[in-house]
Amino acid sequence: NAGVMQNPRHLVRRRGQEARLRCSPMKGHSHVYWYRQLPEEGLKFMVYLQKENIIDESGMPKERFSAEFPKEGPSILRIQQVVRGDSAAYFCASSSRLNTGELFFGEGSRLTVL
Amino acid sequence: DAKTTQPTSMDCAEGRAANLPCNHSTISGNEYVYWYRQIHSQGPQYIIHGLKNNETNEMASLIITEDRKSSTLILPHATLRDTAVYYCIVRVDSNYQLIWGAGTKLIIKP
């Protein structure tokens, strides 16, 4: 069974460009979570999605950030007009059921904004 | 904010048991204790969780005090590959957010 797949693993963008991060959950998992991690810090929750629905986006900045999990295809975290402060590791996790703290994480996408 | 307190770092000799403490003095009756670890530059990995009884799986044991205000994660025979940051998290089962602190950096020494 393939684990949670994230790509790209590394992404470099200049200020003002767009970043798109993709996440394919584990097979059979319909719950996807995005977390952000700054260096030497713990992860910060951003958004929780089920297929085609955003359930909780309370951790996601209101502007420039959006997330989707379409019926077909991977979940996408989109950051428009990136700024240097967006530089971080973005982790996707998936689970097979609601209300579980047992999440399966991907290897992360590391965004560097020049 | 994280509801747990952990030491910033710990060392352990290879082959010995690593005991990682966690304080969660404000834990509520319906909150579980979860442990994850993150090896450098990798995604976090689930280890174990419990409510009030001690738990054991193939990776580790979790000992929760009777008053549930603290717990200890035990890696019975630490190897160099256990070097990682270990996170203790308390979570209400109805809440899907995990709130992460800074964790404990565990270094296993040969």
Side-chain angles (χ1 to χ4, degrees), chain B residues 13-95:
Chain B
E14 187 179 19
R16 305 297 292 268
N19 297 282
L20 293 97
C22 178
N23 286 324
H24 30 80
S25 58
T26 61
I27 194 169
S28 302
N30 61 346
E31 287 183 312
Y32 287 73
V33 179
Y34 282 79
W35 283 84
Y36 277 77
R37 72 180 182 183
Q38 187 174 23
I39 295 169
H40 183 61
S41 295
Q42 295 185 20
Q45 178 188 23
Y46 166 82
I47 301 173
I48 199 168
H49 76 280
L51 183 62
K52 51 185 176 181
N53 297 322
N54 298 338
E55 302 287 345
T56 295
N57 63 19
E58 64 278 4
M59 287 183 69
S61 295
L62 174 60
I63 309 297
I64 303 174
T65 57
E66 195 168 339
D67 64 6
R68 302 210 323 122
K69 293 186 176 182
S70 65
S71 60
T72 301
L73 179 74
I74 301 172
L75 308 177
H77 305 287
T79 72
L80 297 179
R81 287 177 292 182
D82 292 322
T83 292
V85 178
Y86 287 76
Y87 296 95
C88 170
I89 301 165
V90 296
R91 176 186 171 271
V92 176
D93 214 27
S94 59
N95 185 353

Side-chain angles (χ1 to χ4, degrees), chain A residues 9 33 35 37 40-45 48 55-56 58-59 91 97-108 110, chain B residues 34 36 38-47 49 85 87 91-103 105:
Chain A
R9 291 293 310 276
Y33 312 76
Y35 283 81
Q37 186 176 33
E40 308 300 321
E41 294 186 11
L43 279 69
K44 296 283 195 296
F45 170 81
Y48 162 48
I55 306 301
D56 181 356
S58 60
F91 290 96
R97 57 188 177 90
L98 184 63
N99 292 341
T100 176
E102 186 176 347
L103 305 184
F104 295 84
F105 282 84
E107 294 299 304
R110 280 151 185 84
Chain B
Y34 282 79
Y36 277 77
Q38 187 174 23
I39 295 169
H40 183 61
S41 295
Q42 295 185 20
Q45 178 188 23
Y46 166 82
I47 301 173
H49 76 280
V85 178
Y87 296 95
R91 176 186 171 271
V92 176
D93 214 27
S94 59
N95 185 353
Y96 33 76
Q97 293 188 26
L98 294 176
I99 300 175
W100 304 67
K105 187 171 186 177

